[in-house]
Amino acid sequence: MHPAKTPVTSRGRAKHVIAVLVVPDSVALEVAVVHQVFGPRMSAIVELTDDAESAYEVVLCGEQPRQVLPSGVDFGELAPLETLLTADTVMVPGVDDPLAERPLPVLAALRGAAGNGARLVSFCGGAFLLARAGLLDGRRATTHWLFTEEFRREFPDVRLEPGCLYLDDGPVHTSGGVFSATDLALHLLAEDLGQAYAGDVGRLLVMAPRRPGAQAQFVKDSIRIAGEPALGSFLAWLREHLHEPLTLSSLAGHLHLSERSLVRKFRHATGMTVFDWINRERVASAQVLLETTEHRISEIAAMVGFGSAETLRRHFERQVGTTAGSYRTTFRAALVPG
């Protein structure tokens, strides 16, 4: 069982309200991602009970009372735009035409939500809507790599980082292509309810292992380098061996590569250095153990490969922004016998 912890809200409600902005060219798959990850059905499955209370209430909102996409997808009745103003999180799915102008009431509602303290989230081309509302100026953000030039031309005040799967900048979260929407959704779920819960949801969705936001989007020229062994199976192997004393030499030998080739290929595929990636994964493993076990922090440090509690503390605080002890207090699951 997982903790029945409700994400912190600013409205004093029992549930965290997620308002999803639906426009005439919304990408239906990304709207579905929100329902799948944050909806009550997923909560019931993870908690193994039919009456599990979801920590979230997902509400579809729009300028029109009903929205049917040209593809025939019918979102049904929509809540009014004003719902965004009282939501705890506002999510903007991707759109088929990112460069299109948007109605002033839509942009005003997004600005109002931000002014009222909502967490703002965009998937793929949804970043264009946040940018048109002026909500990304001066912030780091990402979007689909295909629209990099157009985005930079239209919004020069945004610090665009198109190589990332997803990015956090304070209360604003943006992601790249369609499937990185799920990566960002699981990342937010982990922030709210813990890594163990998010990991269970990811497994139920049959997701690939957790991908950090700094991992590179797989643009056309980096999907495969001629003669390069696929790194996917190597990353899976690494996750199974995080507890071992890993060196660049031993890892290069495992792939039958030179150290220089491994460094170059790893960064090209993930956007990170080998040991930045390893340390992030070790911290993520430590988060799960802090949530679900009674092991001492020094024991967890050894179990995930950091070796010492001090090394774990240093990397944990840098990555998570709080101490391991504080994290455990907030997120530890109740251990239910049997």
Side-chain angles (χ1 to χ4, degrees):
M1 293 288 288
H2 295 277
K5 176 184 180 296
T6 301
V8 176
T9 74
S10 58
R11 322 291 187 199
R13 291 186 290 249
K15 291 192 176 186
H16 183 108
V17 175
I18 298 176
V20 184
L21 176 63
V22 175
V23 296
D25 60 334
S26 289
V27 175
L29 181 57
E30 295 185 1
V31 177
V33 163
V34 181
H35 270 294
Q36 192 71 18
V37 173
F38 299 98
R41 182 173 180 274
M42 182 60 70
S43 178
I45 294 173
V46 173
E47 298 289 358
L48 300 177
T49 175
D50 292 335
D51 58 358
E53 274 289 315
S54 173
Y56 303 96
E57 178 183 353
V58 178
V59 183
L60 302 189
C61 311
E63 189 178 20
Q64 304 301 321
R66 193 178 190 95
Q67 187 66 66
V68 181
L69 300 185
S71 62
V73 174
D74 186 349
F75 289 116
E77 297 296 325
L78 302 180
L81 280 177
E82 290 74 22
T83 308
L84 273 63
L85 303 179
T86 57
D88 300 300
T89 294
V90 170
M91 294 193 172
V92 185
V95 289
D96 288 332
D97 187 1
L99 301 177
E101 293 293 331
R102 300 295 165 176
L104 293 180
V106 170
L107 302 181
L110 288 171
R111 285 191 289 268
N116 288 340
R119 177 170 64 180
L120 302 178
V121 179
S122 71
F123 299 146
C124 197
F128 279 76
L129 277 76
L130 294 183
R132 288 197 186 284
L135 300 175
L136 298 183
D137 288 353
R139 292 189 179 278
R140 298 169 62 233
T142 193
T143 189
H144 197 292
W145 59 268
L146 190 63
F147 302 114
T148 298
E149 291 184 10
E150 293 87 346
F151 192 99
R152 283 185 169 144
R153 184 170 59 248
E154 296 239 4
F155 310 113
D157 293 330
V158 181
R159 295 157 57 194
L160 185 68
E161 298 184 23
C164 298
L165 289 178
Y166 55 86
L167 276 174
D168 296 350
D169 190 321
V172 180
H173 308 258
T174 54
S175 67
V178 170
F179 292 105
S180 62
T182 310
D183 289 301
L184 176 54
L186 292 176
H187 168 70
L188 295 173
L189 198 65
E191 282 195 348
D192 292 344
L193 298 176
Q195 285 286 354
Y197 187 94
D200 281 351
V201 171
R203 283 186 286 274
L204 285 166
L205 294 174
V206 197
M207 280 282 294
R210 189 187 71 88
R211 300 190 294 175
Q215 182 167 318
Q217 293 184 33
F218 291 101
V219 298
K220 185 176 180 180
D221 64 354
S222 67
I223 292 175
R224 195 67 170 270
I225 304 171
E228 177 185 354
L231 286 179
S233 58
F234 176 60
L235 298 183
W237 179 88
L238 266 181
R239 286 188 173 95
E240 296 296 323
H241 293 79
L242 291 173
H243 60 285
E244 297 179 4
L246 302 173
T247 66
L248 194 61
S249 175
S250 66
L251 296 177
H254 180 80
L255 285 177
H256 306 291
L257 293 172
S258 68
E259 293 181 21
R260 177 177 294 182
S261 292
L262 172 60
V263 168
R264 175 176 59 83
K265 293 175 188 294
F266 198 96
R267 181 179 285 279
H268 192 84
T270 69
M272 306 173 71
T273 70
V274 176
F275 285 99
D276 279 348
W277 189 95
I278 288 173
N279 288 333
R280 282 179 175 271
E281 290 300 313
R282 283 173 167 166
V283 168
S285 295
Q287 287 176 279
V288 173
L289 291 170
L290 287 166
E291 294 164 25
T292 60
T293 76
E294 299 286 351
H295 292 300
R296 294 194 299 270
I297 290 175
S298 59
E299 294 172 330
I300 291 175
M303 292 167 71
V304 302
F306 276 127
S308 71
E310 180 54 38
T311 303
L312 169 59
R313 289 189 180 101
R314 184 172 66 253
H315 286 285
F316 197 95
E317 290 183 31
R318 182 183 305 151
Q319 184 172 320
V320 183
T322 189
T323 66
S326 294
Y327 184 90
R328 164 170 270 172
T329 299
T330 302
F331 286 110
R332 181 165 45 188
L335 300 176
V336 179

